[in-house]
Amino acid sequence: MEAVGKGRAKVSLRRRPEFFRPGGVLQGGCAMTLADVTCWIAIMSLFGEDDPSVTQQMTTSFLGPARTDLVCESTIVRPGRLIVYGTADTTDTAGKLVSHHTLTYVRPPERKVA
């Protein structure tokens, strides 16, 4: 984790040999997982570490090959009571945008313990 602010987060992922596909390109799931975790941290910055939000939907657009460490920055666009909407951009170490993500999370209502 590199930075956290209100409704924002920045997280990096170091490249590892097992993350690469043939041709020297990082597997796309690396960017997707990084975006999901980064957005989740941004949600916790608003609602606390015990927030029960879970990913409902994620859309990823791959914009270029990733061959280096990755850095993802996420912003919560709409922090709703039941639905949270955010975006995330993943870049390589040169700052080149390699993927853009939109994420929707559901915040389940608290269960009352009997």
Side-chain angles (χ1 to χ4, degrees), residues 34-66:
L34 183 60
D36 191 29
V37 169
T38 304
C39 199
W40 177 55
I41 292 169
I43 290 170
M44 287 191 293
S45 78
L46 295 172
F47 299 111
E49 292 180 17
D50 293 331
D51 186 74
S53 295
V54 293
T55 309
Q56 177 187 39
Q57 182 176 349
M58 179 176 184
T59 302
T60 298
S61 296
F62 294 105
L63 305 171

PDB file of all heavy atoms in Angstrom, residues 34-66:
ATOM      1  N   LEU A  34      -5.487  -6.321  -8.373  1.00  0.00           N
ATOM      2  CA  LEU A  34      -4.945  -5.093  -7.796  1.00  0.00           C
ATOM      3  C   LEU A  34      -6.014  -4.010  -7.735  1.00  0.00           C
ATOM      4  O   LEU A  34      -6.157  -3.320  -6.724  1.00  0.00           O
ATOM      5  CB  LEU A  34      -3.731  -4.634  -8.605  1.00  0.00           C
ATOM      6  CG  LEU A  34      -2.999  -3.396  -8.106  1.00  0.00           C
ATOM      7  CD1 LEU A  34      -2.458  -3.613  -6.697  1.00  0.00           C
ATOM      8  CD2 LEU A  34      -1.871  -3.043  -9.070  1.00  0.00           C
ATOM      9  N   ALA A  35      -6.807  -3.856  -8.789  1.00  0.00           N
ATOM     10  CA  ALA A  35      -7.868  -2.850  -8.809  1.00  0.00           C
ATOM     11  C   ALA A  35      -8.932  -3.145  -7.754  1.00  0.00           C
ATOM     12  O   ALA A  35      -9.410  -2.244  -7.058  1.00  0.00           O
ATOM     13  CB  ALA A  35      -8.502  -2.785 -10.194  1.00  0.00           C
ATOM     14  N   ASP A  36      -9.316  -4.408  -7.622  1.00  0.00           N
ATOM     15  CA  ASP A  36     -10.335  -4.785  -6.645  1.00  0.00           C
ATOM     16  C   ASP A  36      -9.858  -4.490  -5.229  1.00  0.00           C
ATOM     17  O   ASP A  36     -10.591  -3.905  -4.425  1.00  0.00           O
ATOM     18  CB  ASP A  36     -10.687  -6.261  -6.821  1.00  0.00           C
ATOM     19  CG  ASP A  36     -11.910  -6.690  -6.040  1.00  0.00           C
ATOM     20  OD1 ASP A  36     -12.811  -5.854  -5.804  1.00  0.00           O
ATOM     21  OD2 ASP A  36     -11.979  -7.872  -5.682  1.00  0.00           O
ATOM     22  N   VAL A  37      -8.641  -4.860  -4.909  1.00  0.00           N
ATOM     23  CA  VAL A  37      -8.092  -4.616  -3.572  1.00  0.00           C
ATOM     24  C   VAL A  37      -7.951  -3.120  -3.315  1.00  0.00           C
ATOM     25  O   VAL A  37      -8.285  -2.623  -2.233  1.00  0.00           O
ATOM     26  CB  VAL A  37      -6.743  -5.350  -3.393  1.00  0.00           C
ATOM     27  CG1 VAL A  37      -6.024  -4.894  -2.126  1.00  0.00           C
ATOM     28  CG2 VAL A  37      -6.958  -6.849  -3.378  1.00  0.00           C
ATOM     29  N   THR A  38      -7.474  -2.376  -4.302  1.00  0.00           N
ATOM     30  CA  THR A  38      -7.272  -0.941  -4.136  1.00  0.00           C
ATOM     31  C   THR A  38      -8.603  -0.228  -3.897  1.00  0.00           C
ATOM     32  O   THR A  38      -8.711   0.633  -3.015  1.00  0.00           O
ATOM     33  CB  THR A  38      -6.543  -0.357  -5.363  1.00  0.00           C
ATOM     34  OG1 THR A  38      -5.312  -1.064  -5.552  1.00  0.00           O
ATOM     35  CG2 THR A  38      -6.230   1.118  -5.170  1.00  0.00           C
ATOM     36  N   CYS A  39      -9.622  -0.604  -4.642  1.00  0.00           N
ATOM     37  CA  CYS A  39     -10.937   0.003  -4.463  1.00  0.00           C
ATOM     38  C   CYS A  39     -11.517  -0.369  -3.091  1.00  0.00           C
ATOM     39  O   CYS A  39     -12.121   0.463  -2.411  1.00  0.00           O
ATOM     40  CB  CYS A  39     -11.859  -0.424  -5.600  1.00  0.00           C
ATOM     41  SG  CYS A  39     -13.301   0.636  -5.802  1.00  0.00           S
ATOM     42  N   TRP A  40     -11.326  -1.598  -2.684  1.00  0.00           N
ATOM     43  CA  TRP A  40     -11.808  -2.057  -1.374  1.00  0.00           C
ATOM     44  C   TRP A  40     -11.156  -1.250  -0.248  1.00  0.00           C
ATOM     45  O   TRP A  40     -11.815  -0.850   0.713  1.00  0.00           O
ATOM     46  CB  TRP A  40     -11.511  -3.548  -1.252  1.00  0.00           C
ATOM     47  CG  TRP A  40     -11.862  -4.176   0.053  1.00  0.00           C
ATOM     48  CD1 TRP A  40     -13.074  -4.171   0.688  1.00  0.00           C
ATOM     49  CD2 TRP A  40     -10.976  -4.919   0.885  1.00  0.00           C
ATOM     50  NE1 TRP A  40     -12.993  -4.888   1.859  1.00  0.00           N
ATOM     51  CE2 TRP A  40     -11.708  -5.356   2.001  1.00  0.00           C
ATOM     52  CE3 TRP A  40      -9.639  -5.281   0.778  1.00  0.00           C
ATOM     53  CZ2 TRP A  40     -11.149  -6.119   3.016  1.00  0.00           C
ATOM     54  CZ3 TRP A  40      -9.083  -6.040   1.789  1.00  0.00           C
ATOM     55  CH2 TRP A  40      -9.837  -6.455   2.886  1.00  0.00           C
ATOM     56  N   ILE A  41      -9.866  -0.975  -0.367  1.00  0.00           N
ATOM     57  CA  ILE A  41      -9.177  -0.150   0.634  1.00  0.00           C
ATOM     58  C   ILE A  41      -9.746   1.263   0.633  1.00  0.00           C
ATOM     59  O   ILE A  41      -9.949   1.864   1.699  1.00  0.00           O
ATOM     60  CB  ILE A  41      -7.652  -0.157   0.387  1.00  0.00           C
ATOM     61  CG1 ILE A  41      -7.091  -1.557   0.674  1.00  0.00           C
ATOM     62  CG2 ILE A  41      -6.948   0.902   1.238  1.00  0.00           C
ATOM     63  CD1 ILE A  41      -5.661  -1.762   0.217  1.00  0.00           C
ATOM     64  N   ALA A  42     -10.042   1.803  -0.554  1.00  0.00           N
ATOM     65  CA  ALA A  42     -10.650   3.140  -0.640  1.00  0.00           C
ATOM     66  C   ALA A  42     -12.015   3.154   0.050  1.00  0.00           C
ATOM     67  O   ALA A  42     -12.375   4.134   0.708  1.00  0.00           O
ATOM     68  CB  ALA A  42     -10.767   3.569  -2.102  1.00  0.00           C
ATOM     69  N   ILE A  43     -12.775   2.076  -0.089  1.00  0.00           N
ATOM     70  CA  ILE A  43     -14.076   1.970   0.591  1.00  0.00           C
ATOM     71  C   ILE A  43     -13.869   1.962   2.105  1.00  0.00           C
ATOM     72  O   ILE A  43     -14.570   2.667   2.848  1.00  0.00           O
ATOM     73  CB  ILE A  43     -14.833   0.708   0.133  1.00  0.00           C
ATOM     74  CG1 ILE A  43     -15.292   0.868  -1.310  1.00  0.00           C
ATOM     75  CG2 ILE A  43     -16.031   0.433   1.058  1.00  0.00           C
ATOM     76  CD1 ILE A  43     -15.832  -0.415  -1.930  1.00  0.00           C
ATOM     77  N   MET A  44     -12.903   1.185   2.576  1.00  0.00           N
ATOM     78  CA  MET A  44     -12.643   1.135   4.013  1.00  0.00           C
ATOM     79  C   MET A  44     -12.216   2.497   4.560  1.00  0.00           C
ATOM     80  O   MET A  44     -12.478   2.805   5.720  1.00  0.00           O
ATOM     81  CB  MET A  44     -11.590   0.076   4.334  1.00  0.00           C
ATOM     82  CG  MET A  44     -12.115  -1.335   4.202  1.00  0.00           C
ATOM     83  SD  MET A  44     -10.986  -2.582   4.882  1.00  0.00           S
ATOM     84  CE  MET A  44      -9.601  -2.474   3.742  1.00  0.00           C
ATOM     85  N   SER A  45     -11.576   3.318   3.718  1.00  0.00           N
ATOM     86  CA  SER A  45     -11.183   4.654   4.178  1.00  0.00           C
ATOM     87  C   SER A  45     -12.398   5.521   4.474  1.00  0.00           C
ATOM     88  O   SER A  45     -12.302   6.494   5.224  1.00  0.00           O
ATOM     89  CB  SER A  45     -10.278   5.334   3.146  1.00  0.00           C
ATOM     90  OG  SER A  45     -11.038   5.843   2.051  1.00  0.00           O
ATOM     91  N   LEU A  46     -13.538   5.169   3.905  1.00  0.00           N
ATOM     92  CA  LEU A  46     -14.773   5.916   4.138  1.00  0.00           C
ATOM     93  C   LEU A  46     -15.639   5.315   5.239  1.00  0.00           C
ATOM     94  O   LEU A  46     -16.249   6.039   6.023  1.00  0.00           O
ATOM     95  CB  LEU A  46     -15.605   5.981   2.849  1.00  0.00           C
ATOM     96  CG  LEU A  46     -15.003   6.753   1.690  1.00  0.00           C
ATOM     97  CD1 LEU A  46     -15.858   6.563   0.441  1.00  0.00           C
ATOM     98  CD2 LEU A  46     -14.877   8.224   2.040  1.00  0.00           C
ATOM     99  N   PHE A  47     -15.720   3.982   5.277  1.00  0.00           N
ATOM    100  CA  PHE A  47     -16.678   3.312   6.152  1.00  0.00           C
ATOM    101  C   PHE A  47     -16.036   2.513   7.288  1.00  0.00           C
ATOM    102  O   PHE A  47     -16.741   1.904   8.081  1.00  0.00           O
ATOM    103  CB  PHE A  47     -17.569   2.377   5.326  1.00  0.00           C
ATOM    104  CG  PHE A  47     -18.377   3.089   4.285  1.00  0.00           C
ATOM    105  CD1 PHE A  47     -18.097   2.917   2.936  1.00  0.00           C
ATOM    106  CD2 PHE A  47     -19.412   3.935   4.644  1.00  0.00           C
ATOM    107  CE1 PHE A  47     -18.843   3.565   1.966  1.00  0.00           C
ATOM    108  CE2 PHE A  47     -20.171   4.592   3.677  1.00  0.00           C
ATOM    109  CZ  PHE A  47     -19.880   4.415   2.339  1.00  0.00           C
ATOM    110  N   GLY A  48     -14.727   2.458   7.346  1.00  0.00           N
ATOM    111  CA  GLY A  48     -14.045   1.725   8.413  1.00  0.00           C
ATOM    112  C   GLY A  48     -13.585   0.342   7.977  1.00  0.00           C
ATOM    113  O   GLY A  48     -14.073  -0.216   6.999  1.00  0.00           O
ATOM    114  N   GLU A  49     -12.654  -0.199   8.736  1.00  0.00           N
ATOM    115  CA  GLU A  49     -12.043  -1.482   8.397  1.00  0.00           C
ATOM    116  C   GLU A  49     -12.994  -2.666   8.501  1.00  0.00           C
ATOM    117  O   GLU A  49     -12.743  -3.706   7.912  1.00  0.00           O
ATOM    118  CB  GLU A  49     -10.823  -1.739   9.284  1.00  0.00           C
ATOM    119  CG  GLU A  49      -9.685  -0.793   9.004  1.00  0.00           C
ATOM    120  CD  GLU A  49      -8.481  -1.055   9.888  1.00  0.00           C
ATOM    121  OE1 GLU A  49      -8.385  -2.139  10.496  1.00  0.00           O
ATOM    122  OE2 GLU A  49      -7.636  -0.156   9.985  1.00  0.00           O
ATOM    123  N   ASP A  50     -14.068  -2.528   9.246  1.00  0.00           N
ATOM    124  CA  ASP A  50     -15.019  -3.630   9.409  1.00  0.00           C
ATOM    125  C   ASP A  50     -16.170  -3.568   8.408  1.00  0.00           C
ATOM    126  O   ASP A  50     -17.126  -4.328   8.518  1.00  0.00           O
ATOM    127  CB  ASP A  50     -15.585  -3.637  10.832  1.00  0.00           C
ATOM    128  CG  ASP A  50     -14.521  -3.965  11.869  1.00  0.00           C
ATOM    129  OD1 ASP A  50     -13.574  -4.698  11.516  1.00  0.00           O
ATOM    130  OD2 ASP A  50     -14.641  -3.498  13.010  1.00  0.00           O
ATOM    131  N   ASP A  51     -16.099  -2.659   7.440  1.00  0.00           N
ATOM    132  CA  ASP A  51     -17.179  -2.538   6.463  1.00  0.00           C
ATOM    133  C   ASP A  51     -17.357  -3.853   5.702  1.00  0.00           C
ATOM    134  O   ASP A  51     -16.374  -4.453   5.260  1.00  0.00           O
ATOM    135  CB  ASP A  51     -16.871  -1.411   5.470  1.00  0.00           C
ATOM    136  CG  ASP A  51     -18.032  -1.174   4.532  1.00  0.00           C
ATOM    137  OD1 ASP A  51     -19.037  -0.610   4.976  1.00  0.00           O
ATOM    138  OD2 ASP A  51     -17.938  -1.590   3.359  1.00  0.00           O
ATOM    139  N   PRO A  52     -18.596  -4.320   5.546  1.00  0.00           N
ATOM    140  CA  PRO A  52     -18.841  -5.624   4.920  1.00  0.00           C
ATOM    141  C   PRO A  52     -18.963  -5.595   3.389  1.00  0.00           C
ATOM    142  O   PRO A  52     -19.429  -6.563   2.798  1.00  0.00           O
ATOM    143  CB  PRO A  52     -20.170  -6.048   5.551  1.00  0.00           C
ATOM    144  CG  PRO A  52     -20.898  -4.751   5.729  1.00  0.00           C
ATOM    145  CD  PRO A  52     -19.828  -3.764   6.113  1.00  0.00           C
ATOM    146  N   SER A  53     -18.547  -4.517   2.739  1.00  0.00           N
ATOM    147  CA  SER A  53     -18.708  -4.410   1.275  1.00  0.00           C
ATOM    148  C   SER A  53     -18.090  -5.592   0.540  1.00  0.00           C
ATOM    149  O   SER A  53     -17.000  -6.044   0.878  1.00  0.00           O
ATOM    150  CB  SER A  53     -18.061  -3.117   0.764  1.00  0.00           C
ATOM    151  OG  SER A  53     -18.731  -1.995   1.269  1.00  0.00           O
ATOM    152  N   VAL A  54     -18.798  -6.053  -0.481  1.00  0.00           N
ATOM    153  CA  VAL A  54     -18.298  -7.128  -1.342  1.00  0.00           C
ATOM    154  C   VAL A  54     -18.478  -6.708  -2.800  1.00  0.00           C
ATOM    155  O   VAL A  54     -19.404  -5.993  -3.147  1.00  0.00           O
ATOM    156  CB  VAL A  54     -19.017  -8.475  -1.086  1.00  0.00           C
ATOM    157  CG1 VAL A  54     -18.677  -9.006   0.291  1.00  0.00           C
ATOM    158  CG2 VAL A  54     -20.514  -8.337  -1.246  1.00  0.00           C
ATOM    159  N   THR A  55     -17.586  -7.179  -3.639  1.00  0.00           N
ATOM    160  CA  THR A  55     -17.635  -6.839  -5.056  1.00  0.00           C
ATOM    161  C   THR A  55     -18.880  -7.450  -5.696  1.00  0.00           C
ATOM    162  O   THR A  55     -19.119  -8.647  -5.589  1.00  0.00           O
ATOM    163  CB  THR A  55     -16.388  -7.368  -5.779  1.00  0.00           C
ATOM    164  OG1 THR A  55     -15.227  -6.958  -5.066  1.00  0.00           O
ATOM    165  CG2 THR A  55     -16.319  -6.856  -7.216  1.00  0.00           C
ATOM    166  N   GLN A  56     -19.654  -6.599  -6.365  1.00  0.00           N
ATOM    167  CA  GLN A  56     -20.830  -7.076  -7.093  1.00  0.00           C
ATOM    168  C   GLN A  56     -20.508  -7.201  -8.580  1.00  0.00           C
ATOM    169  O   GLN A  56     -20.877  -8.166  -9.222  1.00  0.00           O
ATOM    170  CB  GLN A  56     -22.005  -6.122  -6.901  1.00  0.00           C
ATOM    171  CG  GLN A  56     -23.234  -6.538  -7.691  1.00  0.00           C
ATOM    172  CD  GLN A  56     -24.326  -5.500  -7.615  1.00  0.00           C
ATOM    173  OE1 GLN A  56     -24.048  -4.302  -7.646  1.00  0.00           O
ATOM    174  NE2 GLN A  56     -25.558  -5.959  -7.523  1.00  0.00           N
ATOM    175  N   GLN A  57     -19.819  -6.208  -9.108  1.00  0.00           N
ATOM    176  CA  GLN A  57     -19.521  -6.195 -10.534  1.00  0.00           C
ATOM    177  C   GLN A  57     -18.216  -5.446 -10.772  1.00  0.00           C
ATOM    178  O   GLN A  57     -17.914  -4.472 -10.088  1.00  0.00           O
ATOM    179  CB  GLN A  57     -20.643  -5.503 -11.301  1.00  0.00           C
ATOM    180  CG  GLN A  57     -20.445  -5.482 -12.787  1.00  0.00           C
ATOM    181  CD  GLN A  57     -21.650  -4.873 -13.504  1.00  0.00           C
ATOM    182  OE1 GLN A  57     -22.698  -4.649 -12.923  1.00  0.00           O
ATOM    183  NE2 GLN A  57     -21.481  -4.597 -14.764  1.00  0.00           N
ATOM    184  N   MET A  58     -17.480  -5.921 -11.759  1.00  0.00           N
ATOM    185  CA  MET A  58     -16.227  -5.264 -12.131  1.00  0.00           C
ATOM    186  C   MET A  58     -16.077  -5.353 -13.636  1.00  0.00           C
ATOM    187  O   MET A  58     -16.231  -6.426 -14.220  1.00  0.00           O
ATOM    188  CB  MET A  58     -15.047  -5.949 -11.446  1.00  0.00           C
ATOM    189  CG  MET A  58     -13.709  -5.353 -11.779  1.00  0.00           C
ATOM    190  SD  MET A  58     -12.432  -6.196 -10.805  1.00  0.00           S
ATOM    191  CE  MET A  58     -11.016  -5.249 -11.282  1.00  0.00           C
ATOM    192  N   THR A  59     -15.785  -4.215 -14.246  1.00  0.00           N
ATOM    193  CA  THR A  59     -15.530  -4.170 -15.684  1.00  0.00           C
ATOM    194  C   THR A  59     -14.115  -3.668 -15.889  1.00  0.00           C
ATOM    195  O   THR A  59     -13.725  -2.655 -15.307  1.00  0.00           O
ATOM    196  CB  THR A  59     -16.522  -3.233 -16.397  1.00  0.00           C
ATOM    197  OG1 THR A  59     -17.846  -3.684 -16.124  1.00  0.00           O
ATOM    198  CG2 THR A  59     -16.276  -3.214 -17.892  1.00  0.00           C
ATOM    199  N   THR A  60     -13.355  -4.382 -16.690  1.00  0.00           N
ATOM    200  CA  THR A  60     -11.965  -4.016 -16.951  1.00  0.00           C
ATOM    201  C   THR A  60     -11.742  -3.836 -18.436  1.00  0.00           C
ATOM    202  O   THR A  60     -12.157  -4.670 -19.237  1.00  0.00           O
ATOM    203  CB  THR A  60     -11.011  -5.102 -16.416  1.00  0.00           C
ATOM    204  OG1 THR A  60     -11.177  -5.195 -15.001  1.00  0.00           O
ATOM    205  CG2 THR A  60      -9.564  -4.788 -16.751  1.00  0.00           C
ATOM    206  N   SER A  61     -11.092  -2.742 -18.775  1.00  0.00           N
ATOM    207  CA  SER A  61     -10.643  -2.508 -20.147  1.00  0.00           C
ATOM    208  C   SER A  61      -9.121  -2.538 -20.134  1.00  0.00           C
ATOM    209  O   SER A  61      -8.488  -1.729 -19.449  1.00  0.00           O
ATOM    210  CB  SER A  61     -11.128  -1.149 -20.655  1.00  0.00           C
ATOM    211  OG  SER A  61     -12.533  -1.129 -20.720  1.00  0.00           O
ATOM    212  N   PHE A  62      -8.556  -3.495 -20.875  1.00  0.00           N
ATOM    213  CA  PHE A  62      -7.107  -3.575 -20.988  1.00  0.00           C
ATOM    214  C   PHE A  62      -6.673  -2.662 -22.118  1.00  0.00           C
ATOM    215  O   PHE A  62      -7.152  -2.782 -23.247  1.00  0.00           O
ATOM    216  CB  PHE A  62      -6.666  -5.022 -21.229  1.00  0.00           C
ATOM    217  CG  PHE A  62      -6.960  -5.918 -20.063  1.00  0.00           C
ATOM    218  CD1 PHE A  62      -8.003  -6.821 -20.106  1.00  0.00           C
ATOM    219  CD2 PHE A  62      -6.201  -5.838 -18.908  1.00  0.00           C
ATOM    220  CE1 PHE A  62      -8.284  -7.644 -19.025  1.00  0.00           C
ATOM    221  CE2 PHE A  62      -6.476  -6.645 -17.811  1.00  0.00           C
ATOM    222  CZ  PHE A  62      -7.519  -7.553 -17.876  1.00  0.00           C
ATOM    223  N   LEU A  63      -5.761  -1.732 -21.810  1.00  0.00           N
ATOM    224  CA  LEU A  63      -5.390  -0.691 -22.759  1.00  0.00           C
ATOM    225  C   LEU A  63      -3.980  -0.846 -23.310  1.00  0.00           C
ATOM    226  O   LEU A  63      -3.598  -0.132 -24.231  1.00  0.00           O
ATOM    227  CB  LEU A  63      -5.543   0.677 -22.090  1.00  0.00           C
ATOM    228  CG  LEU A  63      -6.942   0.917 -21.503  1.00  0.00           C
ATOM    229  CD1 LEU A  63      -6.957   2.189 -20.678  1.00  0.00           C
ATOM    230  CD2 LEU A  63      -7.978   0.967 -22.614  1.00  0.00           C
ATOM    231  N   GLY A  64      -3.218  -1.763 -22.747  1.00  0.00           N
ATOM    232  CA  GLY A  64      -1.864  -1.996 -23.229  1.00  0.00           C
ATOM    233  C   GLY A  64      -1.215  -3.091 -22.414  1.00  0.00           C
ATOM    234  O   GLY A  64      -1.693  -3.445 -21.335  1.00  0.00           O
ATOM    235  N   PRO A  65      -0.114  -3.641 -22.911  1.00  0.00           N
ATOM    236  CA  PRO A  65       0.552  -4.727 -22.190  1.00  0.00           C
ATOM    237  C   PRO A  65       1.253  -4.227 -20.932  1.00  0.00           C
ATOM    238  O   PRO A  65       1.767  -3.106 -20.900  1.00  0.00           O
ATOM    239  CB  PRO A  65       1.568  -5.252 -23.212  1.00  0.00           C
ATOM    240  CG  PRO A  65       1.849  -4.079 -24.086  1.00  0.00           C
ATOM    241  CD  PRO A  65       0.567  -3.299 -24.157  1.00  0.00           C
ATOM    242  N   ALA A  66       1.250  -5.049 -19.912  1.00  0.00           N
ATOM    243  CA  ALA A  66       1.945  -4.729 -18.668  1.00  0.00           C
ATOM    244  C   ALA A  66       3.150  -5.658 -18.548  1.00  0.00           C
ATOM    245  O   ALA A  66       3.008  -6.876 -18.624  1.00  0.00           O
ATOM    246  CB  ALA A  66       1.012  -4.920 -17.484  1.00  0.00           C
TER     247      ALA A  66
END
